[in-house]
Amino acid sequence: EDKVVQSPLSLVVHEGDTVTLNCSYEVTNFRSLLWYKQEKKAPTFLFMLTSSGIEKKSGRLSSILDKKELFSILNITATQTGDSAIYLCAVESNTGNQFYFGTGTSLTVIP
Amino acid sequence: GAVVSQHPSWVICKSGTSVKIECRSLDFQATTMFWYRQFPKQSLMLMATSNEGSKATYEQGVEKDKFLINHASLTLSTLTVTSAHPEDSSFYICSAAVNEKLFFGSGTQLSVL
C-alpha cells in the first residue's frame, strides 16, 4: 500500500530556532516529492524534488531528497512566527496521476 | 503559477439540504481535479479524483451517492454534498495538477447545523 508519513506530527519552537521536518514514503513508481505550506486556506507550493542529493533552497527554507532511503527533509533556519503553518509532503506516482499526501506537520513558532 | 478558484469560501446550511462547491481552473485546462477533505490541524484526505467527461474515482470509504462529483468541462469540477449532516462539516479543498505540481483552490468551510 502506498503511503507517506511525516514526522513529527506537531512541533513548537521559539523564534530563531532551526527545525527539520521529515517525510518518508513508500510509493510505487515514484515521480516526484513536493512540499507545501498551509497557513489558513490553500496550501502554497514550496519545493519539488525529483533527484537524490540535490538541495533545493529558498531563503531560510531548504529541502533534500534521498531516493535510496525513501525520505526527504525540509529545513527551516532562524524560524519566525510567520513560519507557523502545517507543512505537507506529497509524493507523485507515475501510476495514474496520483498524489499521496503525508500526515502533515503542524509547526508553531512562538516569539 | 496556475490559478484554481474555489467557491464558496464558506457556507452554512441546515441538516438535510444539499450544498454545491465549485472548483475552476482559471488559466489552464484541467482534465483531472482532486477533491480533499481536511479536519483542523490535520493533513488533506483525498476523497475523489474528478475526470473530465467521465465518472469520478472515489477513495475507499467515500460515499459516491453522498458526495456527487461532476466534471463537465475542462475548467470546472463541482462537488455536491447531498443531504448534508453535521458530521459533514469540514474544510473541503480542490486541486489540479499542472506540470507535475498541484495547485489548490482556497477551500470551502462547510458548517451543517
Side-chain angles (χ1 to χ4, degrees):
Chain A
E1 182 186 343
D2 296 313
K3 64 179 180 181
V4 179
V5 178
Q6 290 183 247
S7 63
L9 287 180
S10 66
L11 191 57
V12 180
V13 300
H14 287 96
E15 266 193 319
D17 288 349
T18 294
V19 296
T20 299
L21 309 183
N22 303 289
C23 175
S24 63
Y25 63 90
E26 292 176 30
V27 173
T28 308
N29 294 325
F30 172 93
R31 173 181 277 184
S32 65
L33 185 145
L34 305 99
W35 283 98
Y36 289 86
K37 177 184 181 182
Q38 185 182 25
E39 293 178 79
K40 290 184 180 177
K41 293 190 174 180
T44 52
F45 172 79
L46 294 175
F47 298 111
M48 182 171 78
L49 304 157
T50 55
S51 302
S52 280
I54 299 174
E55 185 183 53
K56 293 276 183 96
K57 198 170 171 64
S58 176
R60 296 177 293 103
L61 277 67
S62 63
S63 183
I64 198 162
L65 173 67
D66 185 328
K67 289 169 72 174
K68 183 180 177 185
E69 300 297 328
L70 306 183
F71 77 92
S72 172
I73 59 172
L74 174 68
N75 275 323
I76 309 175
T77 59
T79 52
Q80 302 171 357
T81 54
D83 295 326
S84 297
I86 295 176
Y87 290 83
L88 299 167
C89 169
V91 174
E92 184 187 11
S93 168
N94 276 317
T95 309
N97 195 24
Q98 301 250 24
F99 289 84
Y100 298 90
F101 275 87
T103 43
T105 293
S106 176
L107 174 65
T108 303
V109 182
I110 54 179
Chain B
V3 179
V4 177
S5 173
Q6 188 172 340
H7 178 81
S9 297
W10 58 271
V11 58
I12 301 172
C13 68
K14 291 183 179 179
S15 190
T17 60
S18 294
V19 173
K20 181 186 279 189
I21 303 169
E22 293 187 349
C23 182
R24 293 180 186 272
S25 57
L26 297 187
D27 51 0
F28 65 99
Q29 293 182 329
T31 54
T32 302
M33 287 187 175
F34 305 95
W35 286 96
Y36 303 87
R37 184 173 180 175
Q38 186 177 32
F39 294 102
K41 299 250 178 181
Q42 293 187 25
S43 187
L44 305 174
M45 183 187 78
L46 180 65
M47 298 175 65
T49 302
S50 168
N51 303 298
E52 188 267 336
S54 64
K55 291 183 180 180
T57 305
Y58 289 82
E59 295 299 300
Q60 194 172 8
V62 177
E63 299 176 59
K64 59 182 68 177
D65 293 331
K66 180 163 186 64
F67 298 99
L68 298 178
I69 289 174
N70 185 285
H71 195 154
S73 79
L74 287 170
T75 58
L76 174 64
S77 176
T78 61
L79 167 67
T80 302
V81 183
T82 62
S83 186
H85 290 284
E87 58 265 30
D88 298 324
S89 298
S90 190
F91 186 68
Y92 294 87
I93 192 165
C94 68
S95 73
V98 180
N99 297 329
E100 299 174 25
K101 297 174 190 171
L102 281 178
F103 292 89
F104 290 86
S106 53
T108 299
Q109 183 65 51
L110 171 64
S111 296
V112 184
L113 305 178

